[in-house]
Amino acid sequence: MNTQTNTEVQHYLDGMRDALSDLPAAEVAEIMDDAGAHVVEVAEEMGDEFSLAALIDRLGTPRAYAEELRVAAGYPSPSSPAAATGGGTSFVARLAFWSLVAGTVVAFGFGFTRGDTLEATVLVGLCTAAAALLVFRQEGLMADIAALPETKAVKDALARADRSDVQRAFASLRTFQPVWWVGRALLIAAGGILVYRPAFGFLVALALAALSLVAGPKARTDRRWLWVSLPSTGFALGVLLLILGTLMTRWDSYPISNSTSYNAPPPTPANIYVFDKDGKPLTDVHLYDEDGRPLNAPWYGCDGDNRHDNRYPRPRVVHDETGCHETPGVPFTVVMPTVPTTTTPPTTTSQPTATESPAPSTTPSAPVTTTG
Amino acid sequence: MDTSQLLKGVLDLAVLAVLRKEDGYGYDVLRRLRQGGLDDVGDASVYGTLRRLYNAGLLTSYVVPSEEGPHRKYYSLNEPGRERLLESGKTWKSFARTLDDLLGEGA
């Protein structure tokens, strides 16, 4: 193909792209991949007889070609350019655009803060819903929105990203889009459970989840669905971050294993006193269960300081008329029962077992060793 | 009667049918339709139909680089596409029979 032909074919293709410009960029790229290649091929077949007029004679004007394709593909009809001139519509367009942005941001915040921003969310949510209604009902609004300088800025930024390596990586992720749509719906439903439990709000979340499931594939070819799809994504990401954050803090407080939460909680009496077999109280004892896990329990001191450990006995906290006192030590003494000869000595003492290994003592009550 | 009006309703079926035996890129599909006797089929309509069937999940696509010219995007029928072809084929056949009966020997 010579340069002249090339330019004219390019011109034709530009015309087509222009006529499809209201569709999502990814879809336009797919169309141009197909139909653009077709135009080039037709032009090549014409060989020497090629001229723009001949091409238009064969395929119709770029606009007509785009229109025929649009109808066959079932894309929404293009907005009439006449509507784009009114000053009022550009205000509505701007409102719709910024409602979408605000709706997405607030939906994210709502998901992430577990519904703390209820008032703002309801307000902005209503705006976004109204904008979505407008976008679907008012013909030509999409063209107005596309003509806004802020939309163009976003488009330019996306186009720049399109050429970068990052985008190439993302392009391969497009295959997994349906997985994300399902995941998003699940996250929204999960958000409904986290925030509201079984209440009216939960039903709303379920309905939104279903709607977002529809919006995913639709938004691919029809930008109007972005007004559903983007806020859904915002909310889902917020819930996702919230869940991840909760899991992280869980892991932090249960460093050994998560399964502790499924076992019976460790016995945590207010205090534990340990005596050796001579009745001597032991202090600074550390307690563990059969799996070697520390039997941690919280302890609250007088000035609000607290610990979470397995060291016993804890200082006693006494409140009286003079205030709060922390008293270390053991408040009572015990008399150890006499150990019968036939049984092994109690194993609960802190004595090293090596000293008990000799044959059972014949003297029934006298201690064999002293504690160190 | 203008066949292009008739075509609108059955272009889906025709495109699915020509992709049944062999995958094809857009121009390929167009040629097969024309060779099959659908002379009036519009170029852009075929491309649009391919996109719609693809977006509806009835086709899969893959790109084959070509030595000369732009690379080509091939479309192939997947399982839902085959099912749709079978269903729509049945509907069409019964519809065509009905119309034949209505026309009788008058046509």
Side-chain angles (χ1 to χ4, degrees):
Chain A
M1 198 165 19
N2 62 43
T3 21
Q4 177 62 25
T5 316
N6 220 334
T7 329
E8 289 187 66
V9 168
Q10 203 52 52
H11 192 72
Y12 190 95
L13 293 179
D14 287 345
M16 265 174 73
R17 203 174 279 124
D18 222 35
L20 296 168
S21 61
D22 61 300
L23 299 175
E27 189 65 18
V28 175
E30 297 267 358
I31 296 168
M32 296 312 291
D33 253 9
D34 265 7
H38 167 59
V39 173
V40 172
E41 209 156 339
V42 168
E44 275 172 353
E45 275 176 5
M46 289 179 170
D48 292 341
E49 283 156 43
F50 173 85
S51 70
L52 189 57
L55 188 66
I56 289 176
D57 194 44
R58 163 83 199 275
L59 297 173
T61 63
R63 193 156 283 279
Y65 189 104
E67 186 48 35
E68 186 185 333
L69 191 146
R70 194 188 268 280
V71 170
Y75 298 131
S77 67
S79 358
S80 53
T85 48
T89 49
S90 101
F91 170 73
V92 176
R94 188 152 281 154
L95 192 75
F97 177 88
W98 288 106
S99 293
L100 175 61
V101 174
T104 306
V105 172
V106 169
F108 173 80
F110 188 65
F112 185 60
T113 60
R114 220 174 193 181
D116 277 355
T117 52
L118 186 63
E119 292 86 359
T121 306
V122 168
L123 200 69
V124 177
L126 284 178
C127 278
T128 314
L133 265 184
L134 271 176
V135 165
F136 276 98
R137 296 295 294 277
Q138 192 173 331
E139 222 154 280
L141 189 55
M142 283 307 284
D144 293 341
I145 295 171
L148 289 174
E150 46 264 51
T151 316
K152 284 190 178 134
V154 171
K155 264 191 184 168
D156 285 350
L158 286 179
R160 268 198 300 281
D162 229 12
R163 288 189 286 273
S164 69
D165 292 336
V166 182
Q167 176 58 25
R168 245 163 266 146
F170 272 115
S172 56
L173 288 181
R174 256 174 83 86
T175 337
F176 299 104
Q177 245 181 349
V179 181
W180 164 239
W181 294 330
V182 175
R184 183 172 66 185
L186 289 178
L187 280 171
I188 292 174
I193 297 171
L194 282 178
V195 177
Y196 297 107
R197 315 242 163 223
F200 173 69
F202 177 56
L203 289 181
V204 172
L206 270 192
L208 283 179
L211 195 61
S212 84
L213 208 54
V214 178
K218 290 270 192 194
R220 221 146 75 154
T221 55
D222 186 345
R223 281 221 167 111
R224 293 178 297 181
W225 282 93
L226 284 180
W227 269 258
V228 178
S229 159
L230 277 187
S232 306
T233 299
F235 181 62
L237 286 182
V239 173
L240 184 66
L241 279 185
L242 174 71
I243 291 174
L244 288 181
T246 313
L247 286 182
M248 300 275 262
T249 40
R250 280 266 165 83
W251 274 324
D252 279 351
S253 53
Y254 294 106
I256 303 289
S257 114
N258 232 359
S259 63
T260 40
S261 53
Y262 297 107
N263 293 344
T268 54
N271 220 335
I272 293 173
Y273 297 100
V274 185
F275 297 86
D276 70 6
K277 64 178 186 173
D278 301 328
K280 189 176 174 231
L282 303 177
T283 52
D284 284 337
V285 180
H286 294 254
L287 299 186
Y288 293 88
D289 72 0
E290 74 275 15
D291 297 324
R293 286 176 297 206
L295 290 173
N296 287 342
W299 176 82
Y300 301 97
C302 275
D303 6 290
D305 61 327
N306 56 57
R307 358 187 282 230
H308 191 92
D309 59 15
N310 62 338
R311 190 151 54 92
Y312 287 91
R314 277 90 195 284
R316 276 164 299 140
V317 179
V318 181
H319 295 272
D320 57 21
E321 58 275 8
T322 59
C324 177
H325 307 283
E326 291 178 17
T327 322
V330 180
F332 53 85
T333 53
V334 290
V335 177
M336 285 289 142
T338 307
V339 182
T341 35
T342 45
T343 54
T344 49
T347 52
T348 47
T349 61
S350 69
Q351 267 183 305
T353 46
T355 57
E356 294 171 10
S357 55
S361 167
T362 44
T363 42
S365 59
V368 184
T369 52
T370 51
T371 40
Chain B
M1 186 175 178
D2 186 2
T3 48
S4 67
Q5 285 300 315
L6 284 176
L7 248 175
K8 268 184 195 155
V10 292
L11 194 52
D12 283 22
L13 182 57
V15 168
L16 288 174
V18 298
L19 283 172
R20 181 181 45 196
K21 286 208 184 110
E22 207 185 330
D23 301 353
Y25 59 99
Y27 206 6
D28 227 13
V29 172
L30 185 64
R31 278 200 205 105
R32 287 185 212 168
L33 289 171
R34 293 226 169 104
Q35 273 162 16
L38 297 176
D39 301 322
D40 288 342
V41 68
D43 301 44
S45 299
V46 171
Y47 283 96
T49 303
L50 280 171
R51 284 315 298 163
R52 186 157 45 78
L53 294 174
Y54 174 82
N55 282 325
L58 302 174
L59 300 177
T60 46
S61 80
Y62 54 95
V63 171
V64 175
S66 121
E67 297 98 46
E68 77 265 8
H71 62 246
R72 282 168 177 161
K73 184 147 67 197
Y74 276 74
Y75 288 96
S76 69
L77 221 54
N78 58 16
E79 212 32 60
R82 269 173 222 290
E83 277 164 27
R84 174 67 66 86
L85 174 61
L86 207 68
E87 263 167 54
S88 302
K90 273 183 200 151
T91 312
W92 169 257
K93 277 181 186 152
S94 100
F95 177 77
R97 250 195 318 274
T98 309
L99 213 63
D100 274 348
D101 290 350
L102 278 177
L103 289 168
E105 54 277 1

